[in-house]
């Protein structure tokens, strides 16, 4: 395999594909991250002469470039751990007062951070789908694959070498994406709340989505030898992992119960959000809310037939990018902290590993049996 990989690297460096891939990854990553940040008040004020009137009934308050950092996470005097637990677990009263009882941009900062993380697989996925048929497809069309087989290399070695090269490129593009985000953080002088146990787990989910798309695209190419098949199948899969269609499935699982909703709102109005804790039920793919250990969730029983409900839940879990979807949804928002704490991210990791193992196994088995022309 070392000789195969060496030959692929030599061919890669001499070709145009890698340089085009890297250029598009750098430019695209910078643009996409900028598009998520350019109109965010908490960030852009630092380079603006604009002043925001954030006055309340109790005090006059004006935020501008000179004091905006005081109202960001970095100026609040709380830990990233507490920032991530907001509205998920009960916080100490002094911490809750800093978050809920003051003017701050913490919610916006968390939203920006997880939006950037949640979409970070989209550009690399699109680029790798272009790269695979161009680079490996050319190896089929010019006879390189046939020559490697004639030299005594097995089809399994050729396939796995191609997969290793693709995975390495995936990682390089993801690093470029992260560096682009770091660049904009320096530009906006922003220190986002980063609680590593959650952020690292989410990055693993994102990486595995990218690996899943790459492994499926590579399998399609080696099974069919058709570049067009990779383009079509790959982009359909990218679109599937980019849209938030799961929101419809999630909202269909649990309708609002009017009586329970009244009780829920009463608890919130009397005791505040900090009195409520949230827990994710893996069997139903839903979040329930508790006050002093009592379930006060405003959800009624699903009106769907059990088989349909279970099918929707299974399909939802099988979405490789479900974590990205439900952390950037507007209509249904699941806290990344809860998704990490209650095992949803772990399940998503297992699902992506399953996709990768199945697609790679099928690719190797079928490629071994088919004739290479």
């Amino acid at each position: 395999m070392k000789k195969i990989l060496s030959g692929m690297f030599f061919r890669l460096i001499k070709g145009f594909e890698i340089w085009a891939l890297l250029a598009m990854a750098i430019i695209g990553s910078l643009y996409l991250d900028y598009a998520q940040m350019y109109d965010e008040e908490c960030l852009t004020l630092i380079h603006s002469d604009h002043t925001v009137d954030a006055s309340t009934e109790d005090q006059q308050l004006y935020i501008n470039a000179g004091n905006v950092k005081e109202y960001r996470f970095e100026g609040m005097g709380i830990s990233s751990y507490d920032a991530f637990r907001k509205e998920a677990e009960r916080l100490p009263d002094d911490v809750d007062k800093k978050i809920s009882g003051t003017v701050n941009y913490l919610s916006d900062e968390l939203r920006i951070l997880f939006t950037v993380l949640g979409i970070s697989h989209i550009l690399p996925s699109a680029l790798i789908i272009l790269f695979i048929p161009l680079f490996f497809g050319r190896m089929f069309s010019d006879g390189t694959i046939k020559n490697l087989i004639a030299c005594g290399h097995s089809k399994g070695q050729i396939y796995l070498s191609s997969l290793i090269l693709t995975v390495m490129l995936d990682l390089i593009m993801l690093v470029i994406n992260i560096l682009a985000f770091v660049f904009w953080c320096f530009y906006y002088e922003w220190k986002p709340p980063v609680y590593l146990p959650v952020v690292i787990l989410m990055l693993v989910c994102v990486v595995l989505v990218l690996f899943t798309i790459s492994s499926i695209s590579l399998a399609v190419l080696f099974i069919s030898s058709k570049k067009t098949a990779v383009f079509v199948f790959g982009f359909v899969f990218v679109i599937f992992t980019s849209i938030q269609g799961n929101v419809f499935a999630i909202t269909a699982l649990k309708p609002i119960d009017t009586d329970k909703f009244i009780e829920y709102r009463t608890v919130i109005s009397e005791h505040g959000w900090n009195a409520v804790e949230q827990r994710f039920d893996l069997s139903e793919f839903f979040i329930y809310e508790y006050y002093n250990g009592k379930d006060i969730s405003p959800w009624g029983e699903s009106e769907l037939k059990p088989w349909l409900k279970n099918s929707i839940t299974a399909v939802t879990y099988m979405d490789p990018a479900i974590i990205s979807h439900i952390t950037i949804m507007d209509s249904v928002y699941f806290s990344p902290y809860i998704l990490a704490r209650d095992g949803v991210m772990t399940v998503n990791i297992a699902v992506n590993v399953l996709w990768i193992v199945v697609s790679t196994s099928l690719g190797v088995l079928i490629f071994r049996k088919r004739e290479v022309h």
Side-chain angles (χ1 to χ4, degrees), residues 231-279:
F231 286 128
V232 173
F233 192 90
F235 278 107
V236 167
F237 203 79
V238 168
I239 292 171
F240 170 70
T241 56
S242 303
I243 60 175
Q244 300 174 14
N246 301 87
V247 67
F248 301 110
I250 293 168
T251 53
L253 293 177
K254 292 286 184 181
I256 292 286
D257 182 293
T258 305
D259 293 334
K260 288 185 176 181
F261 183 75
I262 293 172
E263 179 188 4
Y264 172 76
R265 293 303 302 173
T266 301
V267 171
I268 298 298
S269 61
E270 292 180 356
H271 304 283
W273 285 106
N274 194 43
V276 177
E277 294 188 348
Q278 296 183 339
R279 299 173 199 164

Short mmCIF file of all heavy atoms in Angstrom, two decimals, residues 231-279:
data_model
loop_
_atom_site.label_atom_id
_atom_site.label_comp_id
_atom_site.label_asym_id
_atom_site.label_seq_id
_atom_site.Cartn_x
_atom_site.Cartn_y
_atom_site.Cartn_z
N PHE A 231 -21.01 12.24 -9.35
CA PHE A 231 -21.53 13.61 -9.27
C PHE A 231 -22.99 13.61 -8.83
O PHE A 231 -23.38 14.33 -7.91
CB PHE A 231 -21.41 14.31 -10.63
CG PHE A 231 -20.01 14.71 -10.99
CD1 PHE A 231 -19.46 14.35 -12.20
CD2 PHE A 231 -19.25 15.46 -10.10
CE1 PHE A 231 -18.17 14.72 -12.54
CE2 PHE A 231 -17.95 15.84 -10.44
CZ PHE A 231 -17.42 15.47 -11.66
N VAL A 232 -23.79 12.78 -9.47
CA VAL A 232 -25.23 12.76 -9.18
C VAL A 232 -25.49 12.24 -7.78
O VAL A 232 -26.15 12.90 -6.97
CB VAL A 232 -25.98 11.90 -10.22
CG1 VAL A 232 -27.45 11.74 -9.81
CG2 VAL A 232 -25.88 12.53 -11.61
N PHE A 233 -24.96 11.06 -7.47
CA PHE A 233 -25.21 10.44 -6.17
C PHE A 233 -24.62 11.29 -5.05
O PHE A 233 -25.24 11.50 -4.00
CB PHE A 233 -24.62 9.04 -6.13
CG PHE A 233 -25.06 8.23 -4.95
CD1 PHE A 233 -26.20 7.44 -5.02
CD2 PHE A 233 -24.35 8.26 -3.76
CE1 PHE A 233 -26.63 6.70 -3.93
CE2 PHE A 233 -24.77 7.52 -2.66
CZ PHE A 233 -25.91 6.74 -2.75
N GLY A 234 -23.41 11.80 -5.28
CA GLY A 234 -22.72 12.59 -4.25
C GLY A 234 -23.45 13.86 -3.91
O GLY A 234 -23.66 14.17 -2.73
N PHE A 235 -23.87 14.61 -4.91
CA PHE A 235 -24.54 15.88 -4.64
C PHE A 235 -25.93 15.68 -4.06
O PHE A 235 -26.39 16.49 -3.26
CB PHE A 235 -24.57 16.75 -5.90
CG PHE A 235 -23.29 17.50 -6.13
CD1 PHE A 235 -22.42 17.12 -7.14
CD2 PHE A 235 -22.94 18.55 -5.31
CE1 PHE A 235 -21.23 17.79 -7.34
CE2 PHE A 235 -21.76 19.23 -5.50
CZ PHE A 235 -20.89 18.85 -6.52
N VAL A 236 -26.60 14.61 -4.46
CA VAL A 236 -27.89 14.30 -3.82
C VAL A 236 -27.67 14.04 -2.33
O VAL A 236 -28.44 14.51 -1.48
CB VAL A 236 -28.55 13.07 -4.49
CG1 VAL A 236 -29.72 12.57 -3.65
CG2 VAL A 236 -29.05 13.46 -5.88
N PHE A 237 -26.61 13.31 -2.02
CA PHE A 237 -26.32 13.00 -0.62
C PHE A 237 -25.92 14.24 0.16
O PHE A 237 -26.30 14.42 1.32
CB PHE A 237 -25.20 11.95 -0.54
CG PHE A 237 -25.21 11.16 0.74
CD1 PHE A 237 -26.10 10.12 0.93
CD2 PHE A 237 -24.33 11.46 1.77
CE1 PHE A 237 -26.12 9.39 2.11
CE2 PHE A 237 -24.34 10.75 2.95
CZ PHE A 237 -25.23 9.70 3.13
N VAL A 238 -25.15 15.14 -0.46
CA VAL A 238 -24.76 16.39 0.20
C VAL A 238 -25.98 17.24 0.49
O VAL A 238 -26.12 17.83 1.56
CB VAL A 238 -23.74 17.18 -0.66
CG1 VAL A 238 -23.58 18.60 -0.11
CG2 VAL A 238 -22.40 16.47 -0.66
N ILE A 239 -26.88 17.32 -0.49
CA ILE A 239 -28.12 18.09 -0.28
C ILE A 239 -28.92 17.48 0.87
O ILE A 239 -29.44 18.18 1.73
CB ILE A 239 -28.95 18.12 -1.57
CG1 ILE A 239 -28.23 18.97 -2.64
CG2 ILE A 239 -30.34 18.69 -1.30
CD1 ILE A 239 -28.86 18.89 -4.01
N PHE A 240 -28.98 16.14 0.89
CA PHE A 240 -29.71 15.44 1.96
C PHE A 240 -29.13 15.76 3.33
O PHE A 240 -29.85 15.92 4.31
CB PHE A 240 -29.67 13.93 1.70
CG PHE A 240 -30.17 13.10 2.86
CD1 PHE A 240 -31.51 13.10 3.20
CD2 PHE A 240 -29.29 12.32 3.61
CE1 PHE A 240 -31.98 12.33 4.27
CE2 PHE A 240 -29.75 11.56 4.67
CZ PHE A 240 -31.10 11.57 4.99
N THR A 241 -27.79 15.88 3.41
CA THR A 241 -27.14 16.15 4.69
C THR A 241 -27.02 17.64 4.97
O THR A 241 -26.46 18.04 5.99
CB THR A 241 -25.73 15.54 4.73
OG1 THR A 241 -24.96 16.02 3.62
CG2 THR A 241 -25.80 14.03 4.67
N SER A 242 -27.55 18.49 4.08
CA SER A 242 -27.48 19.94 4.27
C SER A 242 -28.82 20.56 4.63
O SER A 242 -28.88 21.61 5.26
CB SER A 242 -26.94 20.61 2.99
OG SER A 242 -25.68 20.10 2.64
N ILE A 243 -29.91 19.91 4.22
CA ILE A 243 -31.24 20.47 4.50
C ILE A 243 -31.71 20.05 5.88
O ILE A 243 -31.24 19.07 6.45
CB ILE A 243 -32.27 20.04 3.44
CG1 ILE A 243 -32.41 18.50 3.41
CG2 ILE A 243 -31.89 20.56 2.07
CD1 ILE A 243 -33.48 18.01 2.47
N GLN A 244 -32.66 20.81 6.41
CA GLN A 244 -33.15 20.55 7.75
C GLN A 244 -34.51 19.87 7.71
O GLN A 244 -35.44 20.22 8.43
CB GLN A 244 -33.24 21.87 8.53
CG GLN A 244 -31.91 22.58 8.66
CD GLN A 244 -32.06 23.94 9.30
OE1 GLN A 244 -33.06 24.28 9.88
NE2 GLN A 244 -31.02 24.75 9.17
N GLY A 245 -34.64 18.87 6.85
CA GLY A 245 -35.92 18.21 6.69
C GLY A 245 -36.38 17.47 7.93
O GLY A 245 -37.57 17.23 8.12
N ASN A 246 -35.44 17.12 8.81
CA ASN A 246 -35.80 16.38 10.01
C ASN A 246 -36.70 17.17 10.95
O ASN A 246 -37.35 16.59 11.82
CB ASN A 246 -34.54 15.98 10.78
CG ASN A 246 -33.62 15.13 9.94
OD1 ASN A 246 -32.81 15.67 9.22
ND2 ASN A 246 -33.77 13.82 10.00
N VAL A 247 -36.72 18.49 10.79
CA VAL A 247 -37.57 19.30 11.66
C VAL A 247 -39.03 18.88 11.55
O VAL A 247 -39.77 18.88 12.53
CB VAL A 247 -37.41 20.79 11.36
CG1 VAL A 247 -37.94 21.15 9.98
CG2 VAL A 247 -38.12 21.63 12.42
N PHE A 248 -39.46 18.51 10.35
CA PHE A 248 -40.85 18.10 10.16
C PHE A 248 -41.11 16.78 10.87
O PHE A 248 -42.17 16.58 11.47
CB PHE A 248 -41.16 17.97 8.67
CG PHE A 248 -40.94 19.26 7.92
CD1 PHE A 248 -39.89 19.39 7.02
CD2 PHE A 248 -41.77 20.35 8.13
CE1 PHE A 248 -39.68 20.58 6.35
CE2 PHE A 248 -41.57 21.55 7.45
CZ PHE A 248 -40.53 21.66 6.56
N ALA A 249 -40.16 15.87 10.80
CA ALA A 249 -40.32 14.59 11.48
C ALA A 249 -40.34 14.78 12.99
O ALA A 249 -41.16 14.19 13.70
CB ALA A 249 -39.18 13.64 11.09
N ILE A 250 -39.44 15.63 13.50
CA ILE A 250 -39.35 15.85 14.94
C ILE A 250 -40.62 16.46 15.49
O ILE A 250 -41.15 16.03 16.51
CB ILE A 250 -38.12 16.74 15.26
CG1 ILE A 250 -36.83 15.98 14.93
CG2 ILE A 250 -38.13 17.17 16.72
CD1 ILE A 250 -35.60 16.84 14.93
N THR A 251 -41.14 17.49 14.81
CA THR A 251 -42.34 18.16 15.30
C THR A 251 -43.57 17.27 15.18
O THR A 251 -44.54 17.44 15.90
CB THR A 251 -42.58 19.47 14.53
OG1 THR A 251 -42.59 19.19 13.12
CG2 THR A 251 -41.49 20.48 14.82
N ALA A 252 -43.53 16.29 14.27
CA ALA A 252 -44.68 15.38 14.11
C ALA A 252 -44.75 14.35 15.22
O ALA A 252 -45.80 13.78 15.48
CB ALA A 252 -44.61 14.68 12.76
N LEU A 253 -43.62 14.10 15.87
CA LEU A 253 -43.59 13.05 16.89
C LEU A 253 -44.37 13.42 18.14
O LEU A 253 -44.98 12.58 18.77
CB LEU A 253 -42.13 12.74 17.28
CG LEU A 253 -41.27 12.08 16.19
CD1 LEU A 253 -39.85 11.90 16.69
CD2 LEU A 253 -41.86 10.73 15.80
N LYS A 254 -44.34 14.71 18.52
CA LYS A 254 -44.99 15.12 19.77
C LYS A 254 -45.77 16.42 19.56
O LYS A 254 -45.19 17.50 19.49
CB LYS A 254 -43.93 15.34 20.85
CG LYS A 254 -43.24 14.08 21.32
CD LYS A 254 -44.14 13.25 22.21
CE LYS A 254 -43.41 12.05 22.76
NZ LYS A 254 -44.27 11.21 23.60
N PRO A 255 -47.09 16.35 19.49
CA PRO A 255 -47.89 17.57 19.39
C PRO A 255 -47.98 18.28 20.74
O PRO A 255 -47.76 17.68 21.79
CB PRO A 255 -49.26 17.04 18.96
CG PRO A 255 -49.32 15.66 19.55
CD PRO A 255 -47.92 15.13 19.49
N ILE A 256 -48.32 19.58 20.70
CA ILE A 256 -48.49 20.36 21.93
C ILE A 256 -49.81 19.96 22.61
O ILE A 256 -50.84 19.83 21.96
CB ILE A 256 -48.52 21.87 21.61
CG1 ILE A 256 -47.13 22.33 21.15
CG2 ILE A 256 -48.97 22.67 22.82
CD1 ILE A 256 -46.11 22.43 22.25
N ASP A 257 -49.74 19.77 23.93
CA ASP A 257 -50.93 19.52 24.74
C ASP A 257 -51.28 20.83 25.45
O ASP A 257 -50.48 21.35 26.23
CB ASP A 257 -50.66 18.41 25.75
CG ASP A 257 -51.89 18.08 26.58
OD1 ASP A 257 -52.32 18.93 27.38
OD2 ASP A 257 -52.40 16.95 26.45
N THR A 258 -52.48 21.37 25.20
CA THR A 258 -52.86 22.69 25.71
C THR A 258 -52.78 22.76 27.23
O THR A 258 -52.22 23.71 27.79
CB THR A 258 -54.27 23.06 25.25
OG1 THR A 258 -54.34 22.97 23.82
CG2 THR A 258 -54.62 24.48 25.68
N ASP A 259 -53.34 21.78 27.92
CA ASP A 259 -53.34 21.80 29.38
C ASP A 259 -51.92 21.74 29.94
O ASP A 259 -51.57 22.47 30.88
CB ASP A 259 -54.18 20.64 29.92
CG ASP A 259 -55.66 20.79 29.59
OD1 ASP A 259 -56.11 21.94 29.42
OD2 ASP A 259 -56.36 19.75 29.50
N LYS A 260 -51.11 20.86 29.38
CA LYS A 260 -49.73 20.75 29.84
C LYS A 260 -48.94 22.02 29.54
O LYS A 260 -48.07 22.42 30.32
CB LYS A 260 -49.05 19.54 29.19
CG LYS A 260 -49.54 18.20 29.70
CD LYS A 260 -48.73 17.08 29.08
CE LYS A 260 -49.14 15.72 29.65
NZ LYS A 260 -48.34 14.62 29.07
N PHE A 261 -49.26 22.65 28.41
CA PHE A 261 -48.55 23.88 28.04
C PHE A 261 -48.85 24.99 29.04
O PHE A 261 -47.96 25.76 29.40
CB PHE A 261 -48.96 24.31 26.63
CG PHE A 261 -48.22 25.52 26.14
CD1 PHE A 261 -46.91 25.43 25.73
CD2 PHE A 261 -48.84 26.77 26.11
CE1 PHE A 261 -46.21 26.55 25.30
CE2 PHE A 261 -48.16 27.88 25.67
CZ PHE A 261 -46.84 27.78 25.26
N ILE A 262 -50.10 25.07 29.51
CA ILE A 262 -50.47 26.08 30.51
C ILE A 262 -49.69 25.85 31.80
O ILE A 262 -49.15 26.79 32.40
CB ILE A 262 -51.99 26.05 30.77
CG1 ILE A 262 -52.75 26.51 29.51
CG2 ILE A 262 -52.35 26.94 31.96
CD1 ILE A 262 -54.25 26.33 29.61
N GLU A 263 -49.61 24.59 32.23
CA GLU A 263 -48.84 24.26 33.43
C GLU A 263 -47.36 24.61 33.24
O GLU A 263 -46.72 25.16 34.15
CB GLU A 263 -48.99 22.78 33.75
CG GLU A 263 -48.20 22.34 34.98
CD GLU A 263 -48.20 20.83 35.19
OE1 GLU A 263 -48.75 20.11 34.32
OE2 GLU A 263 -47.63 20.39 36.20
N TYR A 264 -46.85 24.30 32.08
CA TYR A 264 -45.44 24.57 31.75
C TYR A 264 -45.15 26.06 31.83
O TYR A 264 -44.19 26.49 32.47
CB TYR A 264 -45.15 24.01 30.36
CG TYR A 264 -43.81 24.36 29.78
CD1 TYR A 264 -42.66 23.73 30.23
CD2 TYR A 264 -43.70 25.32 28.77
CE1 TYR A 264 -41.42 24.04 29.68
CE2 TYR A 264 -42.48 25.64 28.23
CZ TYR A 264 -41.34 25.00 28.68
OH TYR A 264 -40.12 25.31 28.14
N ARG A 265 -46.01 26.87 31.20
CA ARG A 265 -45.80 28.32 31.21
C ARG A 265 -45.94 28.89 32.62
O ARG A 265 -45.26 29.84 32.99
CB ARG A 265 -46.82 28.99 30.27
CG ARG A 265 -46.64 28.68 28.80
CD ARG A 265 -45.26 29.06 28.29
NE ARG A 265 -44.95 30.46 28.50
CZ ARG A 265 -43.76 31.02 28.26
NH1 ARG A 265 -42.77 30.26 27.85
NH2 ARG A 265 -43.57 32.29 28.47
N THR A 266 -46.82 28.30 33.41
CA THR A 266 -46.99 28.76 34.79
C THR A 266 -45.71 28.55 35.59
O THR A 266 -45.27 29.44 36.34
CB THR A 266 -48.17 28.01 35.46
OG1 THR A 266 -49.36 28.24 34.73
CG2 THR A 266 -48.35 28.49 36.90
N VAL A 267 -45.11 27.38 35.45
CA VAL A 267 -43.85 27.09 36.15
C VAL A 267 -42.77 28.06 35.73
O VAL A 267 -42.02 28.60 36.56
CB VAL A 267 -43.42 25.63 35.90
CG1 VAL A 267 -42.00 25.39 36.44
CG2 VAL A 267 -44.40 24.66 36.52
N ILE A 268 -42.67 28.31 34.43
CA ILE A 268 -41.64 29.21 33.92
C ILE A 268 -41.85 30.62 34.46
O ILE A 268 -40.90 31.29 34.89
CB ILE A 268 -41.63 29.22 32.38
CG1 ILE A 268 -41.30 27.83 31.82
CG2 ILE A 268 -40.64 30.26 31.85
CD1 ILE A 268 -39.96 27.31 32.19
N SER A 269 -43.09 31.11 34.41
CA SER A 269 -43.37 32.48 34.85
C SER A 269 -43.15 32.65 36.35
O SER A 269 -42.72 33.71 36.81
CB SER A 269 -44.80 32.87 34.48
OG SER A 269 -45.75 32.03 35.12
N GLU A 270 -43.43 31.61 37.15
CA GLU A 270 -43.30 31.72 38.60
C GLU A 270 -41.87 31.46 39.10
O GLU A 270 -41.43 32.07 40.07
CB GLU A 270 -44.26 30.75 39.29
CG GLU A 270 -45.73 31.11 39.11
CD GLU A 270 -46.65 30.11 39.81
OE1 GLU A 270 -46.12 29.10 40.35
OE2 GLU A 270 -47.88 30.33 39.80
N HIS A 271 -41.17 30.55 38.43
CA HIS A 271 -39.86 30.13 38.94
C HIS A 271 -38.70 30.46 38.01
O HIS A 271 -37.54 30.34 38.43
CB HIS A 271 -39.87 28.63 39.23
CG HIS A 271 -40.96 28.22 40.17
ND1 HIS A 271 -40.89 28.41 41.54
CD2 HIS A 271 -42.18 27.64 39.95
CE1 HIS A 271 -41.99 27.96 42.12
NE2 HIS A 271 -42.79 27.48 41.18
N GLY A 272 -38.99 30.82 36.77
CA GLY A 272 -37.93 31.17 35.83
C GLY A 272 -37.35 29.97 35.12
O GLY A 272 -37.56 28.81 35.52
N TRP A 273 -36.61 30.24 34.05
CA TRP A 273 -36.03 29.17 33.24
C TRP A 273 -35.01 28.35 34.03
O TRP A 273 -34.81 27.17 33.78
CB TRP A 273 -35.36 29.77 32.00
CG TRP A 273 -36.31 30.22 30.95
CD1 TRP A 273 -36.64 31.52 30.65
CD2 TRP A 273 -37.07 29.41 30.06
NE1 TRP A 273 -37.55 31.55 29.63
CE2 TRP A 273 -37.83 30.27 29.24
CE3 TRP A 273 -37.18 28.03 29.87
CZ2 TRP A 273 -38.69 29.80 28.26
CZ3 TRP A 273 -38.03 27.56 28.89
CH2 TRP A 273 -38.78 28.44 28.10
N ASN A 274 -34.35 28.99 34.98
CA ASN A 274 -33.28 28.29 35.70
C ASN A 274 -33.81 27.18 36.60
O ASN A 274 -33.04 26.35 37.08
CB ASN A 274 -32.47 29.30 36.53
CG ASN A 274 -31.17 28.70 37.02
OD1 ASN A 274 -30.47 28.01 36.28
ND2 ASN A 274 -30.84 28.94 38.29
N ALA A 275 -35.11 27.16 36.85
CA ALA A 275 -35.70 26.12 37.69
C ALA A 275 -35.97 24.84 36.90
O ALA A 275 -36.30 23.80 37.48
CB ALA A 275 -36.99 26.62 38.32
N VAL A 276 -35.86 24.92 35.57
CA VAL A 276 -36.21 23.80 34.69
C VAL A 276 -34.95 23.11 34.18
O VAL A 276 -33.97 23.76 33.82
CB VAL A 276 -37.07 24.29 33.51
CG1 VAL A 276 -37.38 23.15 32.56
CG2 VAL A 276 -38.35 24.93 34.01
N GLU A 277 -35.00 21.78 34.15
CA GLU A 277 -33.90 21.00 33.58
C GLU A 277 -34.42 20.20 32.39
O GLU A 277 -35.59 19.81 32.35
CB GLU A 277 -33.31 20.05 34.63
CG GLU A 277 -32.62 20.77 35.77
CD GLU A 277 -31.87 19.83 36.69
OE1 GLU A 277 -32.07 18.60 36.56
OE2 GLU A 277 -31.09 20.31 37.53
N GLN A 278 -33.54 19.97 31.42
CA GLN A 278 -33.93 19.26 30.21
C GLN A 278 -33.17 17.93 30.10
O GLN A 278 -31.99 17.86 30.45
CB GLN A 278 -33.65 20.10 28.96
CG GLN A 278 -34.47 21.38 28.90
CD GLN A 278 -34.22 22.14 27.61
OE1 GLN A 278 -33.20 21.97 26.95
NE2 GLN A 278 -35.17 23.00 27.25
N ARG A 279 -33.87 16.90 29.63
CA ARG A 279 -33.24 15.60 29.40
C ARG A 279 -33.71 15.06 28.05
O ARG A 279 -34.87 15.22 27.68
CB ARG A 279 -33.62 14.61 30.51
CG ARG A 279 -33.18 15.03 31.90
CD ARG A 279 -33.72 14.10 32.97
NE ARG A 279 -33.71 14.70 34.29
CZ ARG A 279 -34.38 14.25 35.32
NH1 ARG A 279 -35.15 13.16 35.19
NH2 ARG A 279 -34.33 14.85 36.49
#
